[in-house]
């Protein structure tokens, strides 16, 4: 979990998987990136203010997020060959698209790393040498079922045959029998240490169902892992130190990116990682291979591995062959950045179950919740007709017992925090919108626009609604940073009051002295 007694000891660090450049970005890539960005922004918001556990030191506001592209391997080599271009050209062409997607989604990572960078090659070769010098890597014969798409060997127990075609049971990708001499990592030697780690840290893999799956796999036994391929078969990759006849197997290359991004081997500020955000199809590599590599190198292990589920499209599996893959650039352009970030977290924020992408549902959420509930509430509360009914430049807190809406806003941060700390952003968003619905009920019941409503009731309604909007806008800022910045600007909230320790209701709030209506938060398209 994010919450721990040591939460302030280092910068918060969250990662996405590095994305494979054999194809254009899709909605799943955007989902992973938005989730990591939301956790980074939440950590910054949380660390700027009051802590349940201990006061936060000055450096604790820092939160790091890294992402990038995985550019080596046989799959890249084969795709480039099929396109009659060299692998580097393919990588350059696709990697820039992933960078563009981040920018389009208002995501600014601390580091975007490409595994073809010279600094990464140096880091990986150093890491390899550490493992080899300690006796964890040896040269030996290897044969087994290999999936080019997964860049992984699978034991016979994890392979199925249908109509003469052999595929991985876990991923469904085609496998081929491969026999060769290569370097192997002594994964079998780490079965007991991995078991001890997993059993001592039952929250280290989220959701719980995925933890149980990994635990069962480790208990069943682990085989040594191939970590290189002959250069005659795989030329596109990082050479094994002191043996250029072998190329490093892609997973040891790819996984070290999380260290390279922090400056490894000369610097590692931020390690251990607080959360690796990964798709459920690559959990084994992050929850078994990666911890074993780190143990072998004498480095701290990840605090949490968050395995989110996949996306379907109108209840159908998304795939290039079906032609239903969602172009994330088009989605962002069509519905807006904040709407897409909201939808990906509210619908895709349940990490244990697959989420469905349906244009009609995106439209419904934008119309009903963003425009109808949140945007309309702000427009009503700040309507010139209502604001100008009240005297002065400031609105003071009414002298009354705690209102039910104020009580709901007081409880909301803890509910929100628990959901975010449990890696359930969907529940966090739902909790905020429950309070927004409560606020709309207050406004509708009071009717502050009506000349028949007593000024004292208008006063009370505008004060409570404005403060509820401020609290909700602050908590929604990691999810919809652009729109919530506009909301808080419209409410004239100073920067110091957009922090976690400023979520309590204030003694007074400014009135909006303008004859013009505010611009809609979520314009109709």
């Amino acid at each position: 979990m994010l919450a721990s007694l040591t939460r302030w000891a280092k910068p918060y660090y969250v990662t996405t998987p590095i994305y494979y450049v054999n194809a254009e970005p899709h909605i799943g890539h955007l989902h992973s990136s938005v989730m990591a960005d939301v956790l980074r922004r939440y950590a910054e918001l949380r660390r700027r203010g009051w802590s349940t556990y201990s006061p936060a030191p000055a450096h604790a506001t820092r939160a790091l997020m890294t992402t990038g592209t995985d550019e080596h391997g046989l799959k890249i080599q084969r795709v480039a060959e099929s396109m009659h271009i060299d692998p580097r050209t393919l990588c350059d062409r696709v990697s820039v698209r992933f960078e563009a997607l981040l920018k389009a989604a208002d995501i600014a990572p601390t580091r975007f790393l490409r595994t073809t960078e010279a600094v990464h090659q140096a880091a990986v070769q150093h890491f390899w040498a550490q493992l080899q010098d300690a006796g964890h890597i040896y040269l030996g014969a290897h044969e087994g079922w290999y999936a080019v798409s997964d860049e992984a060997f699978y034991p016979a127990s994890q392979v199925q045959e249908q109509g003469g075609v052999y595929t991985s049971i876990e991923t469904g990708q085609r496998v081929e029998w491969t026999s060769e001499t290569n370097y192997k990592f002594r994964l079998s030697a780490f079965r007991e240490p991995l078991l001890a780690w997993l059993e001592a840290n039952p929250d280290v893999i989220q959701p719980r169902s995925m933890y149980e799956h990994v635990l069962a796999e480790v208990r069943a036994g682990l085989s040594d892992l191939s970590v290189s391929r002959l250069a005659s078969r795989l030329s596109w990759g990082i050479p094994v130190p002191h043996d250029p006849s072998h190329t490093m197997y892609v997973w040891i290359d790819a996984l070290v990116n999380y260290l390279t991004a922090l400056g490894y081997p000369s610097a590692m500020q931020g390690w251990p990682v607080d959360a690796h955000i990964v798709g459920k199809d690559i959990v084994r590599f992050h929850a078994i291979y990666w911890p074993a590599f780190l143990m072998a190198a004498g480095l701290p292990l990840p605090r949490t591995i968050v395995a989110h589920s996949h996306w379907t499209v109108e209840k159908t599996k998304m795939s290039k062959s079906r032609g239903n893959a969602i172009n994330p650039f088009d989605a962002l352009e069509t519905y807006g950045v904040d709407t897409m970030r909201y939808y990906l977290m509210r619908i895709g924020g349940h990490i244990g179950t697959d989420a469905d992408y349906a244009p009609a549902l995106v439209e419904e959420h934008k119309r009903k919740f963003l425009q109808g509930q949140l945007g309309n509430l702000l427009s009503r509360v700040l309507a010139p007709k209502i604001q100008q009914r009240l005297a002065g430049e400031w609105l003071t807190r009414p002298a009354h017992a705690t209102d039910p809406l104020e009580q709901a806003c007081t409880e909301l941060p803890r509910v929100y925090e628990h959901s975010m700390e449990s890696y359930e952003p969907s529940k966090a968003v739902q909790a905020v919108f429950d309070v927004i619905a409560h606020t709309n009920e207050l406004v509708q019941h009071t009717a502050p626009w009506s000349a028949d409503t007593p000024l004292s009731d208008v006063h009370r309604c505008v004060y409570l609604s404005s403060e509820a909007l401020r609290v909700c806008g602050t908590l929604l800022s990691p999810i919809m940073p652009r729109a919530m910045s506009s909301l808080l600007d419209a409410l004239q909230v100073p920067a110091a009051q957009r922090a976690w320790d400023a979520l309590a209701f204030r003694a007074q709030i400014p009135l909006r002295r303008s004859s013009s209506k505010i611009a809609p938060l979520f314009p109709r398209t």
Side-chain angles (χ1 to χ4, degrees):
M1 299 293 184
L2 299 181
S4 71
L5 293 176
T6 59
R7 66 187 298 164
W8 312 115
K10 68 173 189 63
Y12 178 79
Y13 182 32
V14 60
T15 72
T16 76
I18 51 173
Y19 303 121
Y20 217 45
V21 294
N22 64 311
E24 285 275 310
H26 56 64
I27 201 72
H29 298 125
L30 179 59
H31 175 219
S32 296
S33 297
V34 169
M35 187 167 185
D37 184 60
V38 166
L39 290 175
R40 176 186 66 83
R41 290 175 184 270
Y42 163 69
E44 289 179 338
L45 172 67
R46 192 67 185 82
R47 289 174 173 224
R48 281 202 298 269
W50 170 81
S51 167
T52 308
Y53 309 96
S54 62
H59 76 270
T61 56
R62 292 191 59 200
L64 310 175
M65 172 195 163
T66 67
T67 185
T69 44
D70 184 2
E71 304 184 13
H72 291 137
L74 190 58
K75 184 160 52 174
I76 300 297
Q77 184 175 304
R78 289 186 177 179
V79 170
E81 289 171 354
S82 70
M83 298 174 67
H84 306 291
I85 59 176
D86 65 90
R88 183 60 190 239
T89 299
L90 172 64
C91 294
D92 290 345
R93 181 182 300 173
V94 181
S95 181
V96 70
R97 295 287 288 165
F98 282 96
E99 287 193 89
L101 181 60
L102 295 172
K103 184 176 181 180
D106 285 348
I107 300 171
T110 312
R111 178 77 155 88
F112 184 94
L113 179 79
R114 298 180 59 181
T115 58
T116 49
E117 294 179 35
V119 66
H120 180 66
Q121 176 169 324
V124 171
Q125 290 186 320
H126 178 88
F127 189 86
W128 178 289
Q130 294 288 102
L131 268 56
Q132 192 168 33
D133 291 348
H136 300 300
I137 291 178
Y138 65 95
L139 191 63
H142 185 88
E143 62 180 14
W145 295 102
Y146 183 75
V148 173
S149 294
D150 299 334
E151 300 281 5
F153 280 96
Y154 292 101
S157 60
Q158 295 176 13
V159 171
Q160 61 187 355
E161 184 268 335
Q162 291 180 324
V165 176
Y166 293 85
T167 59
S168 161
I169 294 174
E170 181 176 356
T171 67
Q173 297 297 330
R174 190 165 183 163
V175 297
E176 55 190 42
W177 186 260
T178 301
S179 179
E180 63 185 41
T181 298
N182 51 32
Y183 285 94
K184 304 181 78 172
F185 173 75
R186 299 185 192 277
L187 184 63
S188 58
F190 289 89
R191 177 181 176 274
E192 294 305 320
L194 284 169
L195 276 178
W197 172 62
L198 289 168
E199 290 171 351
N201 298 278
D203 293 327
V204 74
I205 302 172
Q206 297 292 330
R208 181 71 183 196
S209 59
M210 195 59 68
Y211 167 81
E212 298 290 352
H213 175 79
V214 171
L215 184 62
E217 186 170 338
V218 175
R219 282 175 174 165
L222 300 172
S223 301
D224 287 353
L225 180 67
S226 174
V227 289
S228 79
R229 303 297 304 276
L230 288 169
S232 58
R233 293 191 179 186
L234 172 61
S235 59
W236 183 242
I238 299 175
V240 168
H242 311 300
D243 189 353
S245 66
H246 285 262
T247 301
M248 286 190 201
Y249 174 57
V250 69
W251 279 105
I252 198 168
D253 167 4
L255 290 164
V256 172
N257 95 86
Y258 302 126
L259 301 178
T260 307
L262 297 178
Y264 175 86
S266 60
M268 288 180 63
Q269 187 182 23
W271 194 261
V273 67
D274 291 273
H276 282 314
I277 306 301
V278 302
K280 64 182 180 180
D281 56 329
I282 55 174
V283 171
R284 173 189 293 108
F285 311 112
H286 287 81
I288 298 178
Y289 300 171
W290 182 223
F293 292 159
L294 291 168
M295 288 178 181
L299 296 175
L301 305 189
R303 290 182 175 174
T304 319
I305 299 156
V306 183
H308 64 72
S309 296
H310 291 167
W311 283 85
T312 57
V313 178
E314 296 182 331
K315 306 300 182 181
T316 303
K317 183 178 180 180
M318 183 173 63
S319 69
K320 289 185 292 183
S321 61
R322 285 188 171 90
N324 65 347
I326 300 300
N327 184 315
F329 294 98
D330 291 346
L332 290 166
E333 179 67 25
T334 300
Y335 304 113
V337 175
D338 289 300
T339 297
M340 282 305 302
R341 288 177 62 106
Y342 157 88
Y343 185 84
L344 291 172
M345 291 298 96
R346 188 162 188 179
I347 302 302
H350 295 290
I351 59 174
T353 56
D354 286 347
D356 190 58
Y357 183 91
L361 191 57
V362 180
E363 292 279 9
E364 179 185 349
H365 270 263
K366 182 175 184 178
R367 174 182 53 79
K368 181 178 180 180
F369 296 103
L370 300 184
Q371 294 173 336
Q373 287 194 11
L374 181 54
N376 189 50
L377 174 62
L378 181 68
S379 295
R380 276 180 159 186
V381 170
L382 296 185
K385 181 179 178 180
I386 294 175
Q387 295 273 312
Q388 289 169 8
R389 290 192 67 188
L390 301 168
E393 298 297 319
W394 297 86
L395 195 63
T396 58
R397 182 174 183 169
H400 58 71
T402 301
D403 186 273
L405 178 58
E406 181 175 351
Q407 185 61 38
C409 289
T410 300
E411 295 171 359
L412 178 60
R414 290 186 180 276
V415 176
Y416 177 94
E417 178 186 35
H418 176 74
S419 297
M420 294 295 282
E421 303 270 346
S422 301
Y423 302 100
E424 291 282 7
S426 179
K427 293 180 181 179
V429 175
Q430 180 64 57
V432 176
F433 273 85
D434 287 345
V435 171
I436 291 170
H438 189 168
T439 309
N440 272 300
E441 290 173 3
L442 169 68
V443 173
Q444 191 64 30
H445 176 76
T446 306
W449 52 83
S450 173
D452 296 331
T453 302
L455 283 180
S456 60
D457 289 349
V458 175
H459 182 144
R460 172 177 169 273
C461 178
V462 172
Y463 170 83
L464 290 171
S465 301
S466 296
E467 283 296 81
L469 277 166
R470 179 180 64 85
V471 172
C472 290
T474 301
L475 294 178
L476 287 174
S477 60
I479 291 91
M480 298 182 286
R482 192 182 302 184
M484 293 307 98
S485 178
S486 297
L487 179 147
L488 295 170
D489 286 347
L491 290 169
Q492 304 174 72
V493 179
Q497 293 172 2
R498 304 182 185 193
W500 192 270
D501 60 355
L503 291 176
F505 275 25
R506 298 172 293 177
Q508 63 178 14
I509 62 173
L511 284 166
R512 185 173 182 268
R513 292 311 187 194
S514 173
S515 60
S516 60
K517 295 181 179 179
I518 64 167
L521 280 183
F522 303 95
R524 301 187 185 278
T525 53

